[in-house]
């Protein structure tokens, strides 16, 4: 069962990646993205701010930002426009010149239609137009390594370094997050959600009273669930607004505390998965012995690769089939366990990196998963 706290806690991991390109060290930092949920987006903005401020405090500036938009979307939807407004406020007009505006998914749409949508993006000041007028460049991103390297080479060749508006406002002007332009934009979204939730909650309560008078238990139950969900949204939005009031030090402290909490959770997961891995390994060994007793040999690689004993048939075909099915299940579970361990190991390394190496934070990247839009920022050393 999830509590209110379960819905608002959890670490947004900003993950650094570093590689060499044409004699330059390129640092990229990736985060989970804006998902269209106003309250979770507000918490994500807080984590992004903490990361950007830490980088700027160590004298690191952004060399380039890559913003990707899926061209097969009919048009920029409300959540996409909201995300773009936030990104514009994070960057500030002075940093538009380091922004690359990329369109993706050209292979998923008719070229003429995709071309028309690209022109709409470029010509609309509400979308890309104002950014291009201030120096941003548009390009086609074909979801491959070549396109990524072309964008990276463009950033390297231009060699710019910019202080983003969010960094300047919080570090140099000593503003709290809620006082920055990005924070004000996000607060407006949260307050709009609050007003809608309050209105809907009041209506649900009125309807619940009517249902009680009518003794309509089914409707009353549905309305109770609706009231609980709306109350939860209000709680989350209020918490998000409160957390946005932090300054640079407060955001950094909360970020480190959340990362340490995430490390503890990941360590518990590691211990659980390691125990499960040992159990599955022993069970697989036991099943292999029983299959051999049935005259079945398991080939290396997978359970589907097998041969029978010299007589060509297992001693008990039904039992052999049952054991093989269980064996396959155990192998699949072991593979899943190993994948979870690999993912958690990467997340643990990321947490340790963010907690221990402030100077290693050199840019930021946002993934806006629900609308297929991404922003990547990097610093070239």
């Amino acid at each position: 069962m999830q509590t209110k706290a379960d819905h608002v806690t959890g670490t947004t991991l900003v993950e650094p990646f570093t590689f060499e390109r044409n004699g330059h060290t390129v640092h990229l930092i990736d985060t989970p993205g804006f998902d269209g949920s106003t309250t979770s987006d507000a918490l994500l903005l807080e984590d992004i701010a903490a990361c950007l401020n830490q980088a700027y405090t160590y004298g690191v500036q952004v060399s380039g930002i890559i913003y990707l938009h899926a061209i097969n979307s009919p048009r920029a939807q409300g959540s996409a426009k909201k995300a773009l407004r936030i990104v514009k406020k994070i960057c500030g007009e002075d940093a538009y010149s380091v922004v690359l505006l990329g369109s993706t998914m050209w292979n998923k749409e008719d070229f003429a239609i995709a071309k028309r949508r690209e022109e709409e993006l470029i010509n609309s000041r509400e979308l890309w137009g104002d950014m291009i007028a201030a120096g941003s460049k548009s390009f086609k991103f074909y979801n491959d390594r070549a396109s990524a390297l072309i964008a990276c080479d463009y950033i390297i060749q231009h060699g710019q370094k910019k202080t983003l508006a969010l960094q300047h406002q919080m570090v140099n002007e000593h503003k709290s997050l809620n006082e920055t332009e990005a924070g004000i934009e996000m607060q407006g979204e949260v307050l709009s959600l609050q007003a809608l939730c309050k209105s809907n909650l009041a209506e649900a309560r009125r309807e619940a009273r009517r249902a009680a008078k009518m003794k309509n238990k089914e409707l009353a139950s549905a309305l109770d669930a609706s009231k609980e969900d709306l109350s939860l949204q209000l709680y989350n939005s209020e918490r998000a607004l409160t957390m946005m009031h932090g300054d640079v030090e407060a955001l950094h402290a909360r970020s480190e505390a959340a990362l340490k909490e995430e490390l503890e959770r990941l360590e518990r997961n590691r211990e659980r998965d390691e125990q499960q891995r040992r159990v599955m390994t022993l069970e697989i060994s036991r099943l292999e012995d029983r299959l051999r007793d049935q005259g079945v040999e398991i080939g290396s690689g997978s359970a589907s690769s097998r041969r029978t004993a010299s007589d060509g048939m297992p001693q008990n075909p039904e039992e052999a089939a049952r054991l093989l099915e269980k064996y396959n299940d155990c192998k699949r579970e072991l593979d899943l366990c190993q994948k979870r361990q690999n993912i958690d190991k990467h997340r643990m390394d990321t947490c340790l990196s963010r907690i221990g190496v402030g100077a290693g934070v050199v840019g930021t990247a946002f993934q806006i998963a629900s609308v297929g839009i991404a922003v990547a920022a990097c610093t070239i050393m």
Side-chain angles (χ1 to χ4, degrees), residues 17-309:
F17 299 90
T18 301
F19 63 94
E20 298 295 323
R21 179 66 175 170
N22 297 334
H24 297 272
T25 301
V26 180
H27 301 277
L28 292 169
I29 293 183
D30 186 31
T31 81
F34 297 117
D35 62 3
S37 168
T38 300
T39 50
S40 63
D41 285 354
L43 298 176
L44 175 57
L45 176 62
E46 179 190 0
D47 195 53
I48 289 169
C51 180
L52 284 173
N53 294 338
Q54 188 179 21
Y56 188 60
T57 299
Y58 280 87
V60 178
Q61 292 177 291
V62 173
S63 299
I65 296 172
I66 304 169
Y67 184 97
L68 302 179
H69 174 82
I71 203 68
N72 61 335
S73 298
R75 58 173 298 166
Q77 303 298 323
S79 56
K81 289 181 178 179
K82 181 189 80 171
L84 182 56
R85 288 197 301 270
I86 297 297
V87 170
K88 288 180 179 181
K89 298 298 185 181
I90 289 172
C91 296
E93 290 186 13
D94 185 57
Y96 285 177
S97 61
V98 299
V99 178
L100 290 178
L101 301 165
S103 50
T104 67
M105 302 295 178
W106 283 80
N107 62 326
K108 302 292 185 181
E109 186 58 270
D110 176 79
F111 183 81
I113 295 174
K115 186 64 178 175
R116 185 173 68 249
R117 289 175 182 163
E118 181 188 41
E119 290 173 356
E120 290 172 356
L121 289 168
I122 292 171
N123 294 327
S124 171
R125 292 191 64 82
E126 184 184 10
L127 300 173
W128 293 3
D130 60 334
M131 301 180 78
I132 290 174
S136 298
K137 301 296 181 183
S138 66
F139 76 108
K140 295 178 179 64
F141 187 87
Y142 294 105
N143 294 41
D144 56 16
R145 175 181 172 83
S147 295
L149 291 178
I150 287 172
C152 180
D153 289 343
Y154 177 89
I155 293 170
I156 292 173
Q157 291 164 11
H158 282 73
Q160 297 189 65
K161 292 184 183 296
K162 290 289 186 178
T163 299
L164 301 185
L166 183 62
Q167 294 171 310
H168 175 72
Q169 291 160 16
M170 293 199 71
V171 179
N172 297 336
E173 297 181 347
H174 309 289
K175 291 182 177 180
S176 296
L177 179 58
N178 65 299
E179 298 172 326
T180 67
E181 292 186 11
I184 291 169
E185 182 74 29
M186 183 62 77
Q187 280 184 109
E189 298 289 344
V190 177
L191 290 170
S192 295
L193 174 66
Q194 276 192 332
L196 180 61
C197 284
K198 288 177 180 178
S199 175
N200 290 342
L201 184 58
E203 178 63 23
R205 286 170 175 163
R206 286 192 294 270
E207 291 298 321
R209 288 193 292 270
R210 292 193 189 100
K213 290 179 180 179
M214 296 167 58
K215 298 184 179 180
N216 188 332
K217 293 182 179 180
E218 184 177 347
L219 178 58
S221 177
L223 289 167
D224 284 343
S226 177
K227 287 190 296 180
E228 183 177 349
D229 181 64
L230 290 167
S231 296
L232 180 60
Q233 290 185 51
L234 279 174
Y235 174 89
N236 287 346
S237 62
E238 289 164 3
R239 179 182 171 94
L241 288 173
T242 299
M243 295 183 73
M244 286 181 65
H245 281 71
D247 59 10
V248 172
E249 290 76 15
L251 263 60
H252 178 69
R254 285 204 295 263
S255 176
E256 285 219 345
L259 288 166
K260 290 175 181 177
E261 182 179 335
E262 177 72 353
L263 271 175
E264 293 174 359
R265 185 188 70 82
L266 291 169
E267 177 60 24
R268 291 193 297 271
N269 286 354
R270 187 195 65 79
E271 293 173 356
R272 178 204 64 202
D273 286 338
E274 183 59 27
Q275 175 64 24
Q276 184 179 14
R277 189 189 64 79
R278 288 194 293 266
V279 170
M280 287 293 101
T281 301
L282 289 173
E283 180 65 7
I284 287 170
S285 178
R286 185 185 69 82
L287 289 168
E288 287 176 345
D289 289 341
R290 292 185 64 185
L291 284 164
R292 291 190 188 98
D293 291 342
Q294 286 289 323
V296 178
E297 289 292 335
I298 304 297
S300 60
S302 73
S304 61
S305 174
R306 62 184 184 274
R307 59 182 175 82
T308 60

